[in-house]
């Protein structure tokens, strides 16, 4: 698993598994449950103690800065650190993980799984910097001057809006605003309660039927929505 995927315990839980729909057995039988198998293997690997930090045998003397601590930034940081480079990762939020931390609900991905990987990466030499917004807190030029290479692994945070009649009415939220507020509230981030958006007792409509939409459905149901 690790030869092609740094975090199989993440994808084994949150991946939509298009590989299963494409499995040739699906033509006349049930497909191989690749996602479930992946999750079972890696969970057993952690349980057995097989997954350990892999610090590099030698150092290259090169310094790399990575902006963004989502799955792309974390995977990049781990690979570069294991190659012997000195890696510093910068995250504008107060905690690491990007979409994994604040976008995906706990019922899909426990945040203890992220923390476990972060501990492994720290032992491999990765340095993490939170509450650091590149371009605001630190000029981008400073990173270019101080590091040999710079990786931009920021997420796509611009939501797709719908310019339709009634869009300006109250009670309409972007999915990530709703999910991020809920995750911060659950993780007891200071000030999160004031930003929390509750679906309790409300009739909820979700537009969009992908992973994000299903996360909104599950979150609204757990809030105690009247209907979804």
């Amino acid at each position: 698993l690790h030869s092609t995927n740094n975090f199989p315990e993440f994808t084994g839980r949150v991946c939509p598994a298009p590989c299963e729909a494409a499995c040739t057995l699906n033509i006349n039988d049930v497909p191989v449950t690749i996602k479930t198998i992946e999750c079972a293997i890696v969970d057993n690997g952690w349980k057995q103690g097989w997954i350990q930090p892999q610090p590099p045998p030698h150092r290259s003397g090169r310094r790399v800065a990575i902006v963004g601590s989502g799955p792309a930034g974390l995977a990049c940081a781990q690979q570069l650190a294991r190659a012997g480079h000195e890696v510093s990762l910068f995250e504008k939020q107060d905690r690491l993980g990007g979409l994994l931390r604040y976008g995906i609900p706990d019922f899909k991905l426990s945040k203890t799984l992220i923390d476990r990987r972060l501990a492994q990466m720290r032992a491999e030499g990765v340095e993490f910097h939170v509450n650091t917004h590149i371009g605001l807190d630190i000029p981008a030029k400073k990173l270019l001057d101080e590091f040999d290479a710079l990786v931009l692994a920021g997420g796509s945070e611009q939501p797709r809006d719908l310019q339709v009649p009634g869009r300006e009415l109250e009670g309409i939220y972007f999915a990530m605003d709703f999910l991020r507020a809920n995750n911060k509230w659950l993780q007891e981030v200071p000030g999160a309660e004031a930003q929390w958006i509750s679906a309790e007792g409300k009739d909820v409509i979700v537009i969009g039927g992908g992973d994000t939409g299903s996360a909104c459905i599950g979150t609204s149901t757990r809030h105690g929505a009247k209907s979804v």
Side-chain angles (χ1 to χ4, degrees):
L1 291 178
H2 281 132
S3 67
T4 56
N5 184 353
N6 289 74
F7 313 121
E9 69 270 30
F10 300 164
T11 53
R13 286 173 167 83
V14 304
C15 176
C19 57
E20 293 184 13
C23 177
T24 53
L25 281 177
N26 206 24
I27 296 173
N28 60 354
D29 203 343
V30 292
V32 176
T33 55
I34 303 170
K35 176 179 173 180
T36 305
I37 294 170
E38 175 185 16
C39 191
I41 291 172
V42 70
D43 282 354
N44 188 57
W46 281 107
K47 182 179 179 181
Q48 299 294 341
W50 298 335
I51 302 174
Q52 296 292 332
Q54 299 178 37
H58 61 85
R59 294 288 179 180
S60 68
R62 301 281 185 173
R63 303 184 69 217
V64 181
I66 299 175
V67 180
S69 71
L74 293 178
C76 181
Q78 186 169 67
Q79 290 298 110
L80 290 173
R82 289 178 176 179
H85 306 308
E86 185 180 327
V87 178
S88 295
L89 188 147
F90 299 89
E91 167 60 48
K92 69 178 181 180
Q93 296 285 347
D94 60 323
R95 300 184 190 183
L96 300 161
L99 187 73
L100 298 171
R101 176 74 63 180
Y102 287 141
I104 300 175
D106 282 5
F107 60 83
K108 285 191 173 184
L109 181 68
S110 171
K111 304 309 179 282
T112 58
L113 302 179
I114 305 172
D115 296 333
R116 184 172 61 184
R117 276 295 180 183
L118 292 173
Q120 180 195 37
M121 294 174 65
R122 286 190 178 94
E124 293 171 349
V126 178
E127 291 186 3
F128 295 106
H129 307 272
V130 296
N131 292 314
T132 308
H133 196 160
I134 304 303
L136 294 180
D137 301 319
I138 297 178
K141 188 177 186 305
K142 182 178 174 65
L143 296 184
L144 290 171
D145 291 340
E146 295 183 1
F147 291 86
D148 297 293
L150 172 60
V151 178
L152 300 180
S156 177
E157 296 191 2
Q158 186 66 38
R160 178 187 172 203
D161 208 346
L162 292 178
Q163 297 302 326
V164 296
R167 175 64 183 86
E168 73 285 353
L169 297 174
E170 293 183 5
I172 301 174
Y173 305 97
F174 286 119
M176 283 307 303
D177 294 340
F178 175 59
L179 296 173
R180 187 183 295 113
N182 188 71
N183 270 315
K184 287 189 173 184
W185 178 69
L186 285 174
Q187 295 174 59
E188 300 180 342
V189 174
E193 190 169 346
Q195 302 173 8
W196 189 50
I197 303 169
S198 176
E200 183 179 0
K202 297 178 181 177
D203 294 305
V204 178
I205 295 176
V206 178
I207 299 178
D211 279 1
T212 305
S214 72
C216 292
I217 291 171
T219 300
S220 298
T221 302
R222 283 160 175 79
H223 282 186
K226 182 180 177 182
S227 68
V228 183

